Amino acid sequence: MIERERIEVDVLFVGAGPANLAAALHLRNLIKKHDEEVERGYRKEEKIGEVSIAIVEKGTAVGAHILSGAVMDPKALKELMPDFLEQGCPIDTEVKSESFWYLTEKRKIESPIIPPPLRNHGYYIVSLSRVCEWLAEKCEQADINIFTEFPASEILYDKDDRVIGVRLGDKGIGKDGKPRVTNFEPSGDILAKVTVLGEGSRGSLAKQLIARLGLDKGKEPMIYSLGIKELWEVPAGNIKEGHVIHTLGFPSDSQTYGGGWIYGMKNNIVSIGYVTGLDYLDPMIDPHAEFQKFKTHPAVAKILSGGKMIRYGAKSINAGGWHTQPQLYSDGVLLVGDCASFLNGQRIKGIHTAMKSGMLAAETILEALIKKDFSSRILKHYEHKVNQSWLYDELHPVRNFHGAFQRGRWSALVNAGLQFLSSGFAWGFIDRESHIAGHERMQKLSEISNGHQRYEKLKFDKKLTFDKLTDVYHASVAHEENQPPHLHVLDTEICATRCVEEYGNPCVRFCPAAVYEMEFNPKTNRKELKVNFTNCVHCKTCDIIDPYQIINWVTPEGGGGPNYKGM
């Protein structure tokens, strides 16, 4: 039996994204303020005193696994740090002008007005990776310990299913699942009075926790989208700095949720990307190909003309909204940010809501520290705080937005308009419109027509359009090759038999990093699944949309994955 080091902290945050970084920093500030007020006689409670706060992060550095568009609404950051600009928050540029385009295959129809949810004037175009790196520096200055390259692989419970901490992933496990002789390092257990899961979309520990404790009972299933992004360097004059463009239409068909963005940044850098709903019907859809096709539109290609692609990334987006939020607490644990459905799907914004959820979690933890009670009796106040904050005011009126698109684009636009006029009621009168999990919606090959012709005209010229492997290179992906694959396919026989006939092996298409391929095996005289796990960009798409739900994404050895610093 492996002996593991046990480290005890008071508060543990899993994941160094905007929600947890804001939470940790806010908690430290709250503790300091509380103790100062006790000292001055303003409060009758005892001083809290020394509190150990730790953050564990699976990436090589804070920001390495952080990816977003991103136009940031600074609302929550202003609450956390009113002088964030003076303190050096690394914004790229302020949004100065905006456009909204509806695209047909060859034409661009520019809206004379910007739809209210997409108005971003005065917000900031940022690299979320850089913002998180900066927030991490502020946390470390506040005596918060951040441990990078330490993936949390398992939740620890006591006999009553109370969360008591996490187990970190071992280092030095070989492909055969056995410890490597030369460099095996057993992981440790981090025990905490309260653990906060802020792992982002489809967090692996949050997924385990929700299933084990039934935190999604009575909720709508979470639904997701996949955002694929490139950074380009373009000639001066192709796009104005601070100009923001959002698009609808081409190349998505009318039954598939999809839309693009183009942001003009400093130094002639362009952030360009495309979002595809991971609840599409046609198993032949390839989200990466959708993005490459998007760039071939004349209006888009003109902006990129003469330019050079310099970075790539992909990330899932938890877009289901309010009705998909799980119970946000249990004994010893809280859920914050994207893993708990805090994204505003209508505005396609989640940085500010993630940060606010973290700050409210911090306020709840302060109360728990004062009362020395980390059970649900106190932690349930987090959910109350969310319901009484501007998070409710923003997210509840858009509670039915993404689900509306499961009936098709034109129906959804009418529905969304009625929701906008009726504080979120679907069709103007339905408080909660049900939807279907993405993996359950995918149709079989026998139910579709013309899917094979979808990308016939798409060619990868490696100037404007790129194949997956070229893009993965630009994501700076690195994994230790001598380790067990972190993509657990529970029954590969299904891949070689049923899935071939029923869905045409959609994993080779829905993965934006060419992780999955069907390779001919002469011994069995058939194609069988090959998993190129070292390509993985940690988007979790396979875990989300596999129609058989037999792919389980787990954390790889610490430090493995993409490097999105600066993205």
Side-chain angles (χ1 to χ4, degrees), residues 83-104:
D83 59 345
F84 70 96
L85 291 176
E86 291 77 7
Q87 291 211 39
C89 179
I91 66 162
D92 185 273
T93 190
E94 187 175 338
V95 176
K96 299 167 185 172
S97 57
E98 301 173 79
S99 299
F100 178 71
W101 298 349
Y102 184 85
L103 302 180
T104 64

Side-chain angles (χ1 to χ4, degrees), residues 32-313:
K32 181 181 177 183
K33 181 182 177 184
H34 172 273
D35 284 1
E36 286 175 352
E37 290 177 348
V38 170
E39 207 167 83
R40 293 173 183 172
Y42 299 157
R43 284 178 173 265
K44 295 182 180 179
E45 300 106 338
E46 295 178 0
K47 288 175 67 175
I48 295 172
E50 291 295 320
V51 173
S52 55
I53 303 173
I55 303 172
V56 292
E57 163 58 36
K58 63 185 174 69
T60 53
V62 173
H65 292 176
I66 299 293
L67 186 70
S68 185
V71 171
M72 180 180 72
D73 180 341
K75 186 173 185 176
L77 186 54
K78 283 180 179 178
E79 292 180 10
L80 176 68
M81 199 183 304
D83 59 345
F84 70 96
L85 291 176
E86 291 77 7
Q87 291 211 39
C89 179
I91 66 162
D92 185 273
T93 190
E94 187 175 338
V95 176
K96 299 167 185 172
S97 57
E98 301 173 79
S99 299
F100 178 71
W101 298 349
Y102 184 85
L103 302 180
T104 64
E105 188 172 357
K106 298 294 183 185
R107 294 185 59 212
K108 173 193 79 176
I109 303 167
E110 185 162 355
S111 173
I113 59 170
I114 304 298
L118 296 180
R119 291 174 185 167
N120 296 289
H121 202 74
Y123 294 164
Y124 300 101
I125 301 173
V126 299
S127 157
L128 184 56
S129 171
R130 287 196 178 115
V131 171
C132 287
E133 195 175 354
W134 170 75
L135 280 171
E137 291 172 3
K138 297 297 180 184
C139 286
E140 288 177 328
Q141 291 167 12
D143 197 28
I144 294 163
N145 294 308
I146 301 178
F147 302 101
T148 56
E149 298 191 41
F150 282 94
S153 63
E154 184 182 341
I155 299 175
L156 301 176
Y157 303 88
D158 68 10
K159 59 183 177 59
D160 298 316
D161 265 352
R162 169 192 166 84
V163 174
I164 58 172
V166 301
R167 174 161 294 167
L168 304 175
D170 293 329
K171 289 189 176 183
I173 300 291
K175 285 183 179 179
D176 57 3
K178 298 177 182 178
R180 298 198 294 264
V181 176
T182 54
N183 61 348
F184 174 66
E185 296 178 30
S187 69
D189 293 341
I190 302 184
L191 307 181
K193 294 171 181 173
V194 61
T195 301
V196 183
L197 301 183
E199 308 165 280
S201 177
R202 194 68 164 194
S204 53
L205 294 193
K207 177 184 167 184
Q208 294 175 30
L209 179 82
I210 291 166
R212 175 164 174 157
L213 301 184
L215 300 184
D216 56 351
K217 184 178 180 182
K219 306 289 185 175
E220 293 294 316
M222 291 187 182
I223 46 177
Y224 299 84
S225 296
L226 176 62
I228 300 180
K229 172 182 177 179
E230 291 173 351
L231 283 184
W232 280 65
E233 188 175 3
V234 301
N238 281 27
I239 187 172
K240 292 179 181 178
E241 179 185 318
H243 187 57
V244 163
I245 301 168
H246 288 107
T247 77
L248 188 65
F250 176 86
S252 294
D253 60 63
S254 63
Q255 296 302 308
T256 302
Y257 176 86
W261 79 82
I262 308 169
Y263 302 154
M265 302 172 73
K266 285 180 180 175
N267 303 317
N268 301 310
I269 300 298
V270 172
S271 167
I272 182 169
Y274 200 81
V275 173
T276 299
L278 292 179
D279 51 357
Y280 55 77
L281 298 173
D282 186 349
M284 303 306 293
I285 283 179
D286 180 329
H288 176 270
E290 293 285 295
F291 172 45
Q292 300 306 315
K293 199 172 174 181
F294 168 65
K295 292 186 295 176
T296 67
H297 190 280
V300 179
K302 183 179 179 181
I303 291 173
L304 301 178
S305 177
K308 178 185 177 183
M309 189 267 287
I310 54 177
R311 299 296 300 278
Y312 171 81

Side-chain angles (χ1 to χ4, degrees), residues 461-478:
D461 61 11
K462 297 196 176 182
K463 294 179 181 178
L464 175 65
T465 55
F466 304 91
D467 59 86
K468 291 180 182 179
L469 289 178
T470 301
D471 266 335
V472 167
Y473 172 80
H474 286 87
S476 302
V477 179

Side-chain angles (χ1 to χ4, degrees), residues 249 329 368 374:
Y329 65 91
F374 303 93

